[in-house]
């Protein structure tokens, strides 16, 4: 079972949400389901308003793959480097910034700051 901890200026305290390993869906979907006020405009990965900081809470090495659209929006917003933009996958050191509408929640323990 995964766990997502949300922290943000608009929250009085950290909110922890348990996630089934087969739940699927985006981080933005999860936040909306639990009435967590993540910023968003288009909800389709076209604007970049839902950029959030995502940090793993367990030490695991995995290959992070960003969609072309997510890489482009994060690069233009100055959230990832050109090296990260051009990489097909990002081993060991995933980018801190992700789009909540593109990030697919999995069986992991993460902290999301916004």
């Amino acid at each position: 079972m995964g766990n997502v901890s949300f922290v943000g200026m608009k929250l009085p305290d950290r909110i922890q949400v348990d996630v089934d390993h087969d739940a699927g869906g985006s981080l933005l979907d999860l936040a909306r389901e639990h009435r967590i006020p993540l910023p968003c405009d288009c909800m389709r990965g076209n604007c970049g308003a839902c950029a959030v900081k995502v940090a793993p809470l367990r030490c695991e090495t995995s290959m992070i793959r960003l969609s072309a659209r997510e890489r482009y929006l994060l690069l233009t917003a100055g959230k990832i480097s050109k090296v990260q933009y051009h990489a097909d996958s990002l081993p060991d050191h995933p980018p801190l910034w992700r789009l909540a509408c593109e990030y697919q929640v999995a069986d992991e323990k993460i902290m999301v700051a916004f």
Side-chain angles (χ1 to χ4, degrees):
M1 173 162 303
N3 182 279
V4 179
S5 295
F6 291 92
V7 295
M9 298 286 289
K10 295 181 179 180
L11 298 176
D13 287 314
R14 175 187 301 189
I15 296 176
Q16 292 188 351
V17 177
D18 290 329
V19 181
D20 277 335
H21 65 277
D22 59 350
S26 72
L27 192 54
L28 184 58
D29 293 336
L30 182 67
R32 293 175 63 83
E33 179 182 330
H34 293 277
R35 299 181 188 261
I36 297 167
L38 281 182
C40 65
D41 285 338
C42 72
M43 298 179 63
R44 294 184 312 265
N46 292 327
C47 68
C50 65
V52 294
K53 292 180 181 179
V54 177
L57 294 178
R58 296 185 208 158
C59 294
E60 295 176 354
T61 302
S62 62
M63 300 297 279
I64 304 299
R65 297 192 185 282
L66 304 178
S67 69
R69 177 175 50 199
E70 186 175 16
R71 282 195 322 246
Y72 174 75
L73 286 170
L74 290 172
L75 176 70
T76 58
K79 306 292 186 189
I80 63 172
S81 69
K82 287 186 179 185
V83 170
Q84 290 174 316
Y85 174 77
H86 290 292
D88 178 48
S89 61
L90 303 166
D92 298 331
H93 302 290
L96 179 62
W97 289 93
R98 297 294 305 270
L99 297 180
C101 66
E102 293 281 322
Y103 189 101
Q104 295 300 304
V105 179
D107 185 14
E108 59 191 342
K109 291 187 182 229
I110 58 173
M111 179 176 293
V112 176
F114 60 99

